[in-house]
């Protein structure tokens, strides 16, 4: 089983590459020049809500998680620690993968392809720096209609814009209230790096409303933020009028040792 976590060596873990599709490796995004000050005086960019398409043929996260080998699941939970945000999905070929963020680390499990087929799974972890984890709940009050480009902040403060990979993450972030968007983005302002974005959601449709369960994780080599949230949206209403029943966010610093 230890071979499934062979990216860990000499006490070091590294963040894996995010993959949109199983067969192809992605070239890591180039880092942007010049670091910002650690405590930026600016305000974070606020995004507009985007489309959240749902494929009813895709199994829910619990079913996808069960598709992973039992020893892989056990090792992932051991490496992540107390689970805070997690999900599993399947690629187009049916091979499962998973993201688990816990109080000990951010773990990703990916299939290993040989001759075009997924033959096993490999896990990688970025460790959470001890004492750096911060969790916070939000009341989820509806965002102001037409909230503009930036969250409330000091008058005249510059708008800080992150480069999110993939860019569709902007549309996912846009569904959250302004203070939540700020909480999720602010730790990355000092990095001046491309931020990896991953997410999962489920939608339920009722005659009078839709329900949304959404998970989102943003990360670089140095920081991670994540959210678990549920909302109800009346039929015909715009996302800024959603009622949020549960919003829990987490921030932590990551370390390679």
């Amino acid at each position: 089983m230890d071979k499934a976590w062979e990216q860990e060596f000499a006490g070091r873990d590294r963040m894996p590459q995010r993959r949109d599709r199983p067969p192809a490796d992605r070239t890591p995004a180039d880092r942007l020049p010049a670091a910002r000050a650690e405590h930026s005086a600016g305000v974070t960019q606020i995004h507009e809500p985007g489309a959240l398409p749902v494929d009813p043929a895709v199994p829910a996260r619990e079913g996808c998680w069960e598709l992973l080998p039992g020893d892989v699941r056990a090792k992932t939970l051991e490496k992540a620690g107390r689970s805070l945000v997690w999900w599993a999905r399947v690629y187009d070929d049916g091979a499962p993968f998973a993201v688990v963020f816990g109080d000990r680390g951010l773990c990703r499990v990916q299939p290993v392809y040989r001759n075009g087929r997924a033959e096993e799974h490999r896990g990688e972890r970025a460790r959470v720096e001890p004492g750096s984890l911060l969790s916070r709940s939000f009341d989820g009050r509806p965002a102001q209609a037409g909230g503009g480009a930036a969250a409330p902040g000091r008058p005249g403060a510059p708008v800080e814009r992150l480069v999110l990979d993939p860019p569709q993450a902007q549309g996912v972030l846009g569904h959250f209230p302004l203070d939540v968007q700020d909480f999720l983005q602010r730790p990355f302002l000092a990095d001046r790096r491309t931020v990896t974005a991953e997410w999962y959601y489920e939608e339920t449709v009722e005659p009078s409303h839709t329900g949304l369960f959404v998970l989102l994780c943003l990360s670089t080599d140095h920081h991670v933020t994540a959210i678990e949230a549920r909302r109800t949206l009346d039929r015909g209403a715009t996302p800024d009028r959603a009622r949020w029943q549960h919003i829990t966010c987490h921030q932590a610093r990551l370390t390679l040792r």
Side-chain angles (χ1 to χ4, degrees):
M1 174 58 212
D2 287 341
K3 291 181 65 177
W5 289 85
E6 61 187 13
Q7 295 296 340
E8 298 193 15
F9 56 94
R12 296 180 64 86
D13 304 323
R14 71 176 180 85
M15 297 288 287
Q17 299 178 62
R18 184 186 56 77
R19 294 180 175 89
D20 291 324
R21 53 189 64 85
D25 289 333
R26 292 174 56 95
T27 300
D30 292 335
R31 293 182 177 180
L32 302 176
R36 292 188 178 104
E38 183 175 357
H39 301 288
S40 172
V43 293
T44 52
Q45 181 182 9
I46 293 302
H47 303 282
E48 296 295 327
L52 297 177
V54 177
D55 183 355
V58 177
R61 61 175 184 160
E62 292 85 0
C64 295
W65 177 256
E66 292 298 322
L67 295 176
L68 290 166
D71 55 349
V72 173
R73 299 198 305 268
K75 194 68 172 181
T76 301
L77 295 177
E78 175 191 338
K79 293 288 185 178
R82 178 173 58 89
S83 179
L84 302 170
V85 171
W86 73 273
W87 67 87
R89 296 289 302 274
V90 293
Y91 288 119
D92 292 341
D93 63 354
F97 64 97
V99 176
V100 182
F101 173 46
D103 62 354
R104 294 180 59 193
L106 172 61
C107 297
R108 294 184 180 91
V109 177
Q110 293 280 356
V112 177
Y113 285 84
R114 296 187 179 90
N115 300 318
R117 299 185 58 184
E119 296 189 359
E120 62 178 352
H121 283 80
R122 176 176 297 158
E124 297 176 326
R125 174 180 69 172
R127 297 175 186 267
V128 167
E129 181 180 305
S132 70
L133 179 63
L134 170 66
S135 298
R136 178 180 169 186
S137 296
F138 291 82
D139 60 20
R141 289 175 294 180
Q144 298 178 0
R154 181 172 57 83
V159 176
E160 303 281 7
R161 292 177 170 84
L162 300 177
V163 177
L164 301 178
D165 179 26
Q168 292 88 338
Q170 298 177 23
V172 181
L173 268 172
H175 285 268
F176 297 116
L178 303 187
D179 51 352
V180 174
Q181 293 192 43
D182 181 78
F183 183 92
L184 293 172
Q185 295 179 93
R186 185 159 294 280
F188 304 104
L189 298 186
D191 279 355
R192 210 48 183 170
R193 297 164 184 252
T194 297
V195 177
T196 296
E198 300 161 285
W199 61 87
Y200 171 90
Y201 57 86
E202 301 171 6
E203 184 183 59
T204 56
V205 180
E206 304 292 344
S208 61
H209 66 275
T210 59
L212 183 69
F213 171 62
V214 59
L215 306 165
L216 172 70
C217 181
L218 303 178
S219 63
T220 62
D221 290 344
H222 300 302
H223 294 91
V224 58
T225 64
I227 182 172
E228 176 178 311
R230 296 181 184 272
R231 79 168 193 199
T232 300
L233 185 63
D234 292 337
R235 186 168 296 278
T238 55
D240 59 298
R241 307 315 300 169
R243 301 188 303 275
W244 294 89
Q245 290 81 28
H246 168 78
I247 301 179
T248 302
C249 296
H250 310 280
Q251 293 179 359
R253 291 189 297 274
L254 298 176
T255 176
L256 295 180
R257 298 198 63 84

XYZ file of all heavy atoms in Angstrom, residues 178-234:
471
model
N -20.440 37.972 -0.285
C -19.204 38.732 -0.466
C -18.159 38.444 0.599
O -16.967 38.317 0.289
C -19.529 40.228 -0.481
C -20.535 40.728 -1.520
C -20.601 42.242 -1.489
C -20.197 40.220 -2.905
N -18.580 38.345 1.861
C -17.595 38.117 2.917
C -16.982 36.726 2.811
O -15.821 36.513 3.182
C -18.205 38.347 4.303
C -19.501 37.583 4.526
O -20.028 36.982 3.566
O -20.008 37.606 5.663
N -17.727 35.774 2.286
C -17.191 34.433 2.090
C -16.164 34.433 0.962
O -15.089 33.836 1.089
C -18.331 33.438 1.797
C -17.767 32.062 1.455
C -19.283 33.342 2.982
N -16.476 35.100 -0.116
C -15.508 35.195 -1.214
C -14.199 35.831 -0.743
O -13.110 35.405 -1.124
C -16.099 36.009 -2.371
C -17.272 35.344 -3.069
C -17.618 36.037 -4.374
O -16.747 36.393 -5.159
N -18.913 36.229 -4.617
N -14.308 36.849 0.081
C -13.112 37.506 0.603
C -12.299 36.555 1.473
O -11.071 36.465 1.352
C -13.507 38.745 1.404
C -12.302 39.486 1.944
O -11.649 40.209 1.171
O -11.997 39.330 3.153
N -12.967 35.818 2.365
C -12.285 34.883 3.260
C -11.530 33.823 2.474
O -10.390 33.464 2.814
C -13.316 34.225 4.180
C -12.727 33.288 5.201
C -12.378 33.746 6.466
C -12.537 31.941 4.909
C -11.842 32.875 7.412
C -11.999 31.069 5.846
C -11.654 31.540 7.097
N -12.131 33.325 1.411
C -11.520 32.256 0.632
C -10.327 32.731 -0.190
O -9.392 31.960 -0.440
C -12.562 31.628 -0.292
C -13.689 30.850 0.393
C -14.762 30.453 -0.619
C -13.147 29.614 1.094
N -10.336 33.977 -0.619
C -9.277 34.471 -1.504
C -8.131 35.182 -0.786
O -6.997 35.189 -1.276
C -9.876 35.448 -2.527
C -10.873 34.807 -3.486
C -11.437 35.822 -4.455
O -10.922 36.002 -5.560
N -12.499 36.506 -4.029
N -8.408 35.795 0.355
C -7.431 36.700 0.974
C -6.089 36.054 1.301
O -5.031 36.690 1.123
C -8.035 37.355 2.221
C -7.124 38.399 2.854
C -7.899 39.356 3.726
N -8.820 40.163 2.932
C -8.468 41.246 2.229
N -7.207 41.643 2.229
N -9.358 41.926 1.553
N -6.027 34.797 1.770
C -4.712 34.243 2.108
C -3.744 34.170 0.929
O -2.536 34.061 1.140
C -5.048 32.830 2.622
C -6.445 32.930 3.115
C -7.123 33.874 2.170
N -4.243 34.230 -0.296
C -3.380 34.068 -1.463
C -2.840 35.388 -2.008
O -2.055 35.386 -2.956
C -4.152 33.349 -2.578
C -4.711 32.027 -2.148
C -6.058 31.892 -1.861
C -3.889 30.921 -2.002
C -6.585 30.676 -1.461
C -4.403 29.704 -1.596
C -5.755 29.576 -1.320
N -3.250 36.507 -1.437
C -2.858 37.796 -1.994
C -1.352 38.025 -1.917
O -0.790 38.739 -2.739
C -3.600 38.925 -1.288
C -5.133 38.918 -1.421
C -5.719 40.170 -0.797
C -5.562 38.788 -2.877
N -0.704 37.435 -0.920
C 0.739 37.649 -0.759
C 1.572 36.778 -1.687
O 2.747 37.047 -1.904
C 1.146 37.383 0.690
N 0.977 35.731 -2.252
C 1.756 34.749 -3.007
C 2.101 35.198 -4.416
O 3.155 34.878 -4.945
C 0.986 33.432 -3.104
C 1.143 32.604 -1.842
O 1.915 33.016 -0.970
O 0.486 31.562 -1.752
N 1.145 35.907 -5.033
C 1.338 36.318 -6.419
C 1.552 35.083 -7.309
O 2.406 35.032 -8.180
C 2.554 37.221 -6.487
C 2.636 38.291 -7.535
C 1.474 39.174 -7.720
N 1.788 40.063 -8.840
C 0.946 40.859 -9.417
N -0.285 40.919 -8.992
N 1.316 41.603 -10.429
N 0.754 34.043 -7.072
C 0.865 32.790 -7.796
C -0.496 32.423 -8.383
O -1.527 32.905 -7.943
C 1.293 31.649 -6.858
C 2.651 31.827 -6.234
C 2.804 30.886 -5.053
N 4.081 31.120 -4.386
C 5.102 30.283 -4.446
N 5.007 29.176 -5.154
N 6.215 30.544 -3.816
N -0.476 31.523 -9.339
C -1.719 30.938 -9.820
C -2.295 30.036 -8.731
O -1.576 29.252 -8.116
C -1.483 30.132 -11.109
O -1.027 31.025 -12.129
C -2.759 29.455 -11.574
N -3.590 30.159 -8.494
C -4.268 29.410 -7.439
C -5.043 28.253 -8.083
O -5.868 28.470 -8.975
C -5.231 30.317 -6.646
C -5.981 29.510 -5.589
C -4.458 31.470 -6.003
N -4.759 27.042 -7.627
C -5.490 25.872 -8.111
C -6.859 25.824 -7.463
O -6.983 25.955 -6.237
C -4.715 24.586 -7.789
O -3.473 24.601 -8.490
C -5.502 23.351 -8.202
N -7.894 25.640 -8.264
C -9.272 25.590 -7.770
C -9.886 24.240 -8.112
O -9.757 23.750 -9.238
C -10.098 26.721 -8.384
N -10.537 23.643 -7.137
C -11.248 22.371 -7.321
C -12.571 22.472 -6.587
O -12.655 23.101 -5.526
C -10.413 21.214 -6.775
C -9.053 21.073 -7.447
C -8.076 20.263 -6.622
O -7.567 20.810 -5.621
O -7.833 19.107 -6.972
N -13.586 21.815 -7.117
C -14.897 21.931 -6.475
C -15.770 20.732 -6.775
O -15.500 19.931 -7.672
C -15.591 23.217 -6.906
C -15.854 23.313 -8.390
C -16.935 22.849 -9.094
C -14.997 23.931 -9.352
N -16.807 23.127 -10.423
C -15.630 23.791 -10.621
C -13.766 24.593 -9.281
C -15.061 24.299 -11.793
C -13.200 25.080 -10.451
C -13.841 24.940 -11.683
N -16.864 20.648 -6.008
C -17.852 19.586 -6.146
C -19.182 20.168 -5.709
O -19.247 20.970 -4.769
C -17.471 18.403 -5.246
C -18.546 17.341 -5.153
C -18.587 16.268 -6.037
C -19.525 17.409 -4.164
C -19.566 15.297 -5.955
C -20.516 16.445 -4.069
C -20.537 15.390 -4.969
O -21.508 14.438 -4.886
N -20.260 19.768 -6.372
C -21.583 20.212 -5.928
C -22.648 19.206 -6.336
O -22.474 18.407 -7.260
C -21.919 21.605 -6.478
C -21.877 21.717 -7.986
C -22.973 21.388 -8.784
C -20.717 22.176 -8.622
C -22.918 21.495 -10.159
C -20.662 22.291 -10.000
C -21.769 21.949 -10.759
O -21.708 22.048 -12.121
N -23.751 19.237 -5.587
C -24.928 18.443 -5.871
C -26.134 19.375 -5.836
O -26.205 20.275 -4.989
C -25.120 17.334 -4.834
C -23.975 16.351 -4.716
C -24.139 15.418 -3.536
O -25.222 15.472 -2.889
O -23.213 14.653 -3.241
N -27.082 19.138 -6.729
C -28.288 19.964 -6.783
C -29.520 19.084 -6.619
O -29.604 17.997 -7.181
C -28.366 20.700 -8.117
C -29.548 21.657 -8.214
C -29.642 22.332 -9.572
O -29.753 21.587 -10.579
O -29.596 23.567 -9.641
N -30.462 19.565 -5.827
C -31.765 18.926 -5.704
C -32.820 19.915 -6.178
O -32.740 21.106 -5.879
C -32.049 18.513 -4.254
O -31.948 19.663 -3.400
C -31.052 17.463 -3.784
N -33.784 19.410 -6.935
C -34.806 20.264 -7.534
C -36.162 19.921 -6.936
O -36.600 18.763 -6.977
C -34.841 20.100 -9.070
C -35.918 20.995 -9.673
C -33.474 20.416 -9.669
N -36.826 20.932 -6.361
C -38.171 20.813 -5.813
C -39.105 21.744 -6.587
O -38.641 22.641 -7.302
C -38.168 21.182 -4.323
C -37.202 20.367 -3.469
C -37.608 18.913 -3.343
O -38.783 18.600 -3.656
O -36.757 18.096 -2.949
N -40.413 21.536 -6.474
C -41.334 22.400 -7.223
C -41.156 23.892 -6.937
O -41.303 24.722 -7.831
C -42.720 21.907 -6.776
C -42.493 20.473 -6.383
C -41.122 20.445 -5.776
N -40.826 24.246 -5.693
C -40.750 25.661 -5.328
C -39.334 26.209 -5.244
O -39.136 27.429 -5.197
C -41.435 25.892 -3.972
O -40.780 25.132 -2.957
N -38.330 25.331 -5.228
C -36.963 25.802 -5.029
C -35.965 24.744 -5.471
O -36.341 23.594 -5.750
C -36.717 26.159 -3.565
C -36.788 24.957 -2.656
N -37.971 24.484 -2.131
C -35.812 24.113 -2.211
C -37.737 23.416 -1.397
N -36.430 23.175 -1.421
N -34.699 25.145 -5.524
C -33.594 24.207 -5.724
C -32.671 24.268 -4.513
O -32.519 25.324 -3.872
C -32.786 24.531 -6.996
O -32.254 25.853 -6.893
C -33.662 24.422 -8.231
N -32.077 23.147 -4.202
C -31.093 23.084 -3.136
C -29.719 22.804 -3.710
O -29.586 22.067 -4.701
N -28.702 23.394 -3.127
C -27.332 23.218 -3.613
C -26.425 22.880 -2.442
O -26.417 23.572 -1.423
C -26.831 24.488 -4.293
C -25.432 24.414 -4.923
C -25.436 23.505 -6.154
C -24.924 25.802 -5.292
N -25.678 21.802 -2.582
C -24.609 21.440 -1.656
C -23.310 21.604 -2.421
O -23.110 20.977 -3.467
C -24.779 19.993 -1.195
C -23.612 19.457 -0.404
C -23.245 20.038 0.805
C -22.884 18.375 -0.865
C -22.173 19.537 1.542
C -21.813 17.861 -0.141
C -21.465 18.450 1.070
N -22.419 22.478 -1.950
C -21.223 22.814 -2.724
C -19.984 22.782 -1.839
O -20.005 23.227 -0.683
C -21.381 24.201 -3.408
C -21.629 25.294 -2.384
C -20.169 24.523 -4.271
N -18.902 22.247 -2.397
C -17.596 22.187 -1.766
C -16.595 22.816 -2.719
O -16.648 22.576 -3.925
C -17.185 20.744 -1.480
C -18.170 19.900 -0.681
C -17.803 18.430 -0.783
C -18.199 20.335 0.773
N -15.688 23.616 -2.171
C -14.683 24.290 -2.986
C -13.371 24.315 -2.231
O -13.346 24.544 -1.015
C -15.130 25.719 -3.307
C -14.110 26.635 -4.010
C -13.878 26.174 -5.445
C -14.582 28.091 -3.981
N -12.272 24.088 -2.948
C -10.943 24.148 -2.354
C -10.040 24.972 -3.250
O -9.955 24.727 -4.459
C -10.380 22.732 -2.189
S -8.736 22.661 -1.442
N -9.366 25.974 -2.677
C -8.364 26.778 -3.370
C -7.011 26.504 -2.719
O -6.915 26.433 -1.485
C -8.684 28.271 -3.263
C -10.049 28.728 -3.772
C -10.216 30.225 -3.555
C -10.247 28.362 -5.238
N -5.955 26.376 -3.518
C -4.668 26.040 -2.920
C -3.502 26.495 -3.783
O -3.597 26.599 -5.009
C -4.555 24.519 -2.687
O -4.606 23.822 -3.917
N -2.394 26.782 -3.113
C -1.071 26.933 -3.710
C -0.132 26.043 -2.902
O -0.579 25.274 -2.046
C -0.576 28.394 -3.660
O -0.469 28.796 -2.271
C -1.539 29.327 -4.383
N 1.166 26.166 -3.132
C 2.109 25.397 -2.330
C 2.114 25.840 -0.871
O 2.550 25.073 -0.003
C 3.529 25.559 -2.885
C 3.717 24.862 -4.214
O 2.869 24.016 -4.568
O 4.696 25.168 -4.912
N 1.643 27.054 -0.595
C 1.793 27.629 0.744
C 0.492 27.797 1.515
O 0.525 27.917 2.742
C 2.474 29.000 0.642
C 3.832 28.958 0.016
N 4.863 28.203 0.509
C 4.335 29.572 -1.094
C 5.946 28.353 -0.242
N 5.639 29.167 -1.230
N -0.640 27.842 0.838
C -1.908 28.094 1.518
C -3.010 27.224 0.943
O -2.946 26.791 -0.210
C -2.322 29.564 1.373
C -1.413 30.527 2.056
N -0.326 31.109 1.412
C -1.405 31.013 3.329
C 0.299 31.912 2.267
N -0.334 31.865 3.427
N -4.037 27.004 1.750
C -5.245 26.334 1.296
C -6.437 26.976 1.985
O -6.359 27.354 3.162
C -5.206 24.816 1.601
C -5.024 24.542 3.094
C -6.462 24.122 1.087
N -7.521 27.152 1.239
C -8.803 27.532 1.827
C -9.850 26.589 1.267
O -9.721 26.077 0.146
C -9.204 28.987 1.519
O -9.406 29.140 0.099
C -8.138 29.956 1.986
N -10.889 26.326 2.048
C -11.922 25.399 1.611
C -13.242 25.784 2.250
O -13.287 26.455 3.292
C -11.550 23.961 1.980
N -14.328 25.349 1.616
C -15.662 25.680 2.097
C -16.591 24.502 1.889
O -16.484 23.758 0.917
C -16.222 26.927 1.367
C -17.615 27.303 1.903
C -16.259 26.729 -0.135
C -18.136 28.618 1.377
N -17.513 24.323 2.828
C -18.657 23.432 2.688
C -19.892 24.266 2.952
O -19.968 24.949 3.981
C -18.576 22.265 3.663
C -19.809 21.360 3.622
C -19.711 20.185 4.562
O -18.674 19.489 4.540
O -20.683 19.965 5.321
N -20.856 24.232 2.045
C -22.012 25.122 2.183
C -23.251 24.491 1.569
O -23.174 23.689 0.634
C -21.724 26.468 1.520
N -24.404 24.890 2.099
C -25.703 24.490 1.562
C -26.568 25.734 1.413
O -26.556 26.612 2.277
C -26.402 23.484 2.480
C -25.671 22.159 2.626
C -26.432 21.206 3.529
N -25.697 19.979 3.733
C -25.777 18.911 2.952
N -26.590 18.949 1.902
N -25.081 17.823 3.205
N -27.344 25.755 0.334
C -28.205 26.897 0.106
C -29.531 26.443 -0.496
O -29.635 25.352 -1.083
C -27.563 27.918 -0.826
C -27.662 27.516 -2.282
C -27.290 28.632 -3.230
N -27.687 28.283 -4.588
C -27.218 28.834 -5.692
N -26.292 29.786 -5.595
N -27.641 28.463 -6.877
N -30.532 27.312 -0.356
C -31.836 27.127 -0.988
C -32.120 28.353 -1.835
O -31.940 29.488 -1.373
C -32.939 26.956 0.070
O -32.641 25.805 0.866
C -34.293 26.761 -0.589
N -32.554 28.121 -3.069
C -32.849 29.212 -3.989
C -34.264 29.037 -4.522
O -34.580 28.015 -5.138
C -31.845 29.224 -5.142
C -31.944 30.377 -6.140
C -31.664 31.716 -5.452
C -30.978 30.160 -7.304
N -35.118 30.018 -4.240
C -36.489 29.956 -4.731
C -36.520 29.962 -6.249
O -35.676 30.593 -6.903
C -37.296 31.135 -4.187
C -37.525 31.042 -2.683
O -37.459 29.920 -2.147
O -37.738 32.096 -2.051
